[in-house]
Amino acid sequence: MADIIQLLPDHVANQIAAGEVVQRPASVVKELLENAIDAEATLVKLIIKDAGKTLIQVIDNGDGMSTTDARLSFERHATSKIKTAEDLFQLHTKGFRGEALASIAAIAHVNLKTKQERDEVGTEITIEGSTIVSQEIVVTPKGTSVSVKNLFFNIPARRNFLKSNTVELRHVIDEFHRVALAHPKIHFTFYNNGSEMFNLPVSNYRQRIVNIFGAKTNEKLVPVEEATEVVKIVGFVGKPEFAKKTRGEQYFFVNERFIKSAYLNHAILSAFEGLIRPGAHPSYFLNLTVDPQSIDINIHPTKTEIKFNDEHTLYAILRSSVKHSLGQFNIAPVLDFEHDSNLDTPYTDIKSVVDTPKIEVDRNFNPFQESHSMKGQASAFKRPSSGHWDSLYIGLESKKITPQADFKDMHIEGEEAASSLFEAEASVEQDHKTYQFHNKYIISAIKSGLLVIDQFRAHQRILYEEFLKNLTVKEGVSQQLLFPLQIHLPTPEVEIIKQLKEDLEHTGFVFSSIGDELIEIMGVPLNVPESEVSIILEQLINDVQHEVPEASFSAIDLLAKSMAKSLAIKAGQPLKKDEQEYIVNKLFACKEPNVTPSNRLTFVTVGIDELDKKFI
Ligand code: ADP
Ligand code: MG
């Protein structure tokens, strides 16, 4: 057979390499920003249009390039940053592979203008799909401007694969945050579709964090500082009471490079142990400085993972210094009158067993409503917050006025797995068809065996279909708040709310204003408790930010899913008989009772024959 192996032409090789380096507009943003920093710029301007799909431009006042270098910079493996393999272990720059510009130029329309200090005039190069279209002399200030248009113009499959502008913008903002946080001594500005999103002047680290995440962040930060032979740690962790339900602001930088490390993240979590609720995520902004020789950043092409020589020591140091800071700065509780105390568990209460409060205040009570007494039947919007769960069934409960009814309930509700089998048995005979197991599953006897329902998932399905209905017919009922609710959010998150405003209004939200970092809410969907609102929005924002690819994606769908998830009763919540029955009945009245909105099973059945087999 004849020889069949050929070397790939450069432009093909570049396109393949581009697949590794450039996944989405945010990857381009990252590479260009890093190049500007490597060129020692003190002022860096990022401009994007349509979340970077139409334009990404980075302008810096750094060193610039000579004409030859400008031309060479688009060649693959052309870099000024390392010369030998040994240099890899002495890296002081972000870039070192010399692939970024070549890759970007392979899959977009790129224009480069650059000038060094000592030169009179600069160089302008236009390159499209690895082909140089023009090279000219140009009058331009010292520094470099790279503009990238029509990303993936020659790879339609990749272009179609891009997500909505909201999602792509989110990724761009994430990259921008990472770079800007690592370099407070550089002035960054960021324009999206012509309007300024960020203007971050040179500042100290704390100010940089506050400038990015909003003025409210300031009071949440606890400084962390540690200097050992192995590592120097400087930065902040968020106070435990501000830990988020969803993964929020978590940043590790190693030698000014953003990295992800589940292992180090665990070190922080363990330092917070006992201070935050399980499942909550503390924020942190931590800069680790280590000897460049002790790390290997070369193991991943997009360079967010690195390998440490001595991970264990690093873990221990990190954990103890965060613990130390928390101890030092967090002994006295902070009095904050603006803070909604409904949202967090006081530190002292975390480990104690909490009694149900004896007096319940109905926060939804509206004296002007014609008839406040509930009708005794389920309304379209339930009020599912765990704390108010009881009141959901006020109507149903009121039927049980006979002492026997109360007595029955005492025996049945909150029964643990270990409780008497005969009692449960008896309860079924007494016309109760359901039984709650481990405060998590609802078990019901059916003809062919047993039905085991996951209460959280089932309720998600129920709420999801209700929300979806309200959203599509656009008639979610709103309840007016007595005092407008103010919620502080970082600008990019406000941006997401802005885009979802109309849909949110269809569910019953009423916004009185949406500012830069503050939204004011005048009305919320009927039966959504005020205390849950910020949690719902936080969850929603998080879901939008991490939107998973799905053919059926629509903002409405996402909103319904997200709200259902936030509001559904969780595992661990004891349910009364009628509450259990409500879930069962409502679930099977749903269009798709078998699965949650995210396609997970809501119930399983155990057939009588399966049981019979066990008794052979
Ligand atoms: P790398 O950053 O890995 O070296 P790039 O493809 O990103 O590879 O850049 C190639 C080269 O182009 C760099 O090594 C640098 O010399 C030059 N370069 C790129 N961007 C800039 C810039 N903004 N200012 C000055 N030089 C730059
Ligand atoms: Mg680079």
Side-chain angles (χ1 to χ4, degrees):
M1 204 167 143
D3 300 336
I4 49 171
I5 296 179
Q6 294 185 5
L7 281 178
L8 289 175
D10 262 2
H11 70 275
V12 180
N14 282 342
Q15 263 197 27
I16 294 170
E20 287 248 300
V21 182
V22 186
Q23 281 109 21
R24 51 181 7 133
S27 336
V28 176
V29 168
K30 172 176 191 268
E31 295 296 337
L32 296 185
L33 289 177
E34 291 189 346
N35 280 349
I37 291 162
D38 285 344
E40 317 239 297
T42 55
L43 178 62
V44 179
K45 188 170 172 180
L46 168 65
I47 300 166
I48 63 167
K49 286 210 174 95
D50 302 323
K53 291 177 188 170
T54 314
L55 171 75
I56 301 160
Q57 183 172 17
V58 170
I59 305 170
D60 69 57
N61 65 351
D63 295 336
M65 284 176 265
S66 69
T67 303
T68 320
D69 282 353
R71 185 77 184 235
L72 264 177
S73 69
F74 289 105
E75 295 294 327
R76 204 140 60 93
H77 305 307
T79 180
S80 57
K81 296 168 195 175
I82 56 170
K83 292 196 173 66
T84 66
E86 284 74 55
D87 291 349
L88 266 177
F89 301 98
Q90 290 297 340
L91 274 183
H92 295 284
T93 55
K94 311 261 164 203
F96 57 88
R97 297 167 162 265
E99 301 190 293
L101 284 183
S103 299
I104 295 166
I107 46 148
H109 296 166
V110 178
N111 179 273
L112 168 87
K113 287 192 197 124
T114 187
K115 186 182 92 75
Q116 293 182 311
E117 177 110 74
R118 59 197 167 102
D119 293 337
E120 282 293 302
V121 288
T123 311
E124 175 171 10
I125 294 177
T126 306
I127 174 165
E128 298 180 352
S130 298
T131 310
I132 304 240
V133 177
S134 72
Q135 175 170 344
E136 278 156 28
I137 289 169
V138 68
V139 177
T140 181
K142 172 202 170 220
T144 304
S145 155
V146 181
S147 88
V148 177
K149 288 184 184 157
N150 307 323
L151 192 64
F152 298 129
F153 77 101
N154 50 359
I155 318 180
R158 285 304 277 275
R159 196 163 170 92
N160 294 336
F161 189 70
L162 292 179
K163 302 277 171 48
S164 64
N165 282 6
T166 316
V167 173
E168 294 300 340
L169 178 62
R170 179 68 242 166
H171 286 286
V172 170
I173 292 172
D174 278 348
E175 289 298 349
F176 177 79
H177 282 171
R178 293 169 183 177
V179 175
L181 278 171
H183 300 278
K185 294 295 169 222
I186 298 177
H187 183 167
F188 289 93
T189 56
F190 178 179
Y191 294 83
N192 175 34
N193 290 336
S195 62
E196 183 183 277
M197 281 197 100
F198 292 96
N199 185 349
L200 310 173
V202 176
S203 63
N204 64 26
Y205 194 44
R206 182 188 273 267
Q207 285 164 335
R208 174 59 48 103
I209 296 171
V210 170
N211 285 340
I212 292 177
F213 295 106
K216 277 255 152 186
T217 324
N218 197 18
E219 65 189 87
K220 304 180 187 174
L221 301 177
V222 179
V224 178
E225 268 193 70
E226 185 74 72
T228 68
E229 291 207 337
V230 184
V231 59
K232 194 173 138 228
I233 305 171
V234 182
F236 299 91
V237 292
K239 288 185 186 159
E241 61 262 43
F242 296 104
K244 290 194 161 194
K245 257 182 77 179
T246 51
R247 208 169 276 259
E249 290 114 25
Q250 302 190 325
Y251 296 90
F252 280 123
F253 299 94
V254 172
N255 297 354
E256 300 188 331
R257 187 190 293 275
F258 172 82
I259 61 134
K260 283 185 188 151
S261 164
Y263 187 65
L264 295 187
N265 179 57
H266 191 271
I268 309 272
L269 275 185
S270 75
F272 271 87
E273 205 179 292
L275 295 173
I276 56 175
R277 281 165 288 182
H281 302 282
S283 27
Y284 51 83
F285 310 88
L286 294 169
N287 298 288
L288 281 53
T289 313
V290 297
D291 180 351
Q293 300 214 32
S294 74
I295 51 172
D296 180 3
I297 47 177
N298 205 4
I299 59 169
H300 195 273
T302 50
K303 296 172 277 183
T304 53
E305 282 158 28
I306 68 173
K307 224 173 121 39
F308 298 98
N309 286 354
D310 191 358
E311 249 185 355
H312 296 299
T313 314
L314 210 55
Y315 183 101
I317 297 173
L318 194 58
R319 179 168 180 268
S320 78
S321 48
V322 170
K323 253 194 146 144
H324 177 76
S325 294
L326 286 171
Q328 210 177 355
F329 291 94
N330 212 50
I331 333 152
V334 188
L335 271 185
D336 180 2
F337 295 104
E338 276 175 58
H339 182 60
D340 185 352
S341 56
N342 286 320
L343 290 179
D344 51 44
T345 311
Y347 173 35
T348 47
D349 287 357
I350 282 175
K351 291 224 157 137
S352 62
V353 181
V354 184
D355 286 330
T356 318
K358 299 288 176 293
I359 302 168
E360 277 268 44
V361 179
D362 183 358
R363 285 169 139 267
N364 278 353
F365 177 72
N366 177 354
F368 306 109
Q369 213 167 303
E370 280 227 307
S371 149
H372 178 65
S373 61
M374 303 263 184
K375 296 287 183 308
Q377 35 145 273
S379 81
F381 270 75
K382 288 320 235 168
R383 206 175 125 190
S385 122
S386 44
H388 302 279
W389 179 250
D390 288 4
S391 53
L392 241 175
Y393 288 93
I394 287 171
L396 292 169
E397 274 163 29
S398 62
K399 277 191 266 163
K400 306 180 297 182
I401 31 167
T402 56
Q404 291 106 298
D406 285 341
F407 179 72
K408 266 194 292 178
D409 262 87
M410 274 171 58
H411 280 276
I412 296 149
E413 45 166 280
E415 252 178 359
E416 295 303 328
S419 69
S420 157
L421 195 62
F422 296 103
E423 262 173 28
E425 188 66 4
S427 70
V428 174
E429 272 159 23
Q430 285 165 19
D431 213 10
H432 281 289
K433 295 198 190 66
T434 58
Y435 173 82
Q436 193 189 19
F437 185 63
H438 271 226
N439 289 343
K440 190 172 173 194
Y441 298 111
I442 302 170
I443 298 180
S444 179
I446 49 171
K447 251 196 204 151
S448 57
L450 282 178
L451 184 65
V452 185
I453 299 176
D454 181 314
Q455 64 187 46
F456 174 53
R457 293 188 183 180
H459 199 213
Q460 269 188 64
R461 162 56 62 185
I462 298 167
L463 291 172
Y464 168 72
E465 293 201 1
E466 280 168 4
F467 283 127
L468 209 57
K469 196 173 84 207
N470 286 306
L471 277 162
T472 35
V473 298
K474 305 190 191 310
E475 55 185 23
V477 189
S478 184
Q479 53 172 332
Q480 189 88 16
L481 298 177
L482 206 47
F483 300 104
L485 192 65
Q486 295 197 330
I487 297 180
H488 291 269
L489 291 171
T491 319
E493 302 194 354
V494 170
E495 212 46 45
I496 291 176
I497 298 292
K498 268 188 202 162
Q499 296 188 12
L500 293 172
K501 179 166 175 272
E502 214 174 296
D503 287 329
L504 282 166
E505 284 169 350
H506 294 149
T507 66
F509 278 100
V510 182
F511 297 93
S512 42
S513 72
I514 300 188
D516 270 354
E517 291 183 2
L518 180 72
I519 56 176
E520 208 172 77
I521 297 173
M522 254 168 30
V524 296
L526 190 66
N527 292 327
V528 166
E530 201 177 324
S531 59
E532 295 276 316
V533 171
S534 59
I535 295 176
I536 294 173
L537 293 182
E538 191 189 306
Q539 178 71 50
L540 176 67
I541 290 166
N542 188 63
D543 286 347
V544 171
Q545 289 169 350
H546 298 98
E547 171 208 327
V548 264
E550 247 179 74
S552 66
F553 170 77
S554 77
I556 289 180
D557 192 59
L558 186 70
L559 184 60
K561 269 187 201 160
S562 178
M563 285 180 52
K565 193 162 61 187
S566 307
L567 286 170
I569 42 140
K570 309 289 184 287
Q573 174 72 38
L575 300 178
K576 294 194 178 129
K577 273 295 130 169
D578 38 24
E579 295 167 343
Q580 298 168 20
E581 279 164 20
Y582 169 84
I583 298 273
V584 179
N585 294 336
K586 270 282 186 181
L587 177 66
F588 290 100
C590 282
K591 285 198 190 116
E592 274 186 74
N594 314 31
V595 287
T596 66
S598 38
N599 260 327
R600 302 169 75 179
L601 288 182
T602 50
F603 65 86
V604 293
T605 51
V606 185
I608 194 89
D609 29 330
E610 275 175 69
L611 286 173
D612 286 346
K613 267 188 220 151
K614 292 212 188 281
F615 287 104
I616 289 174

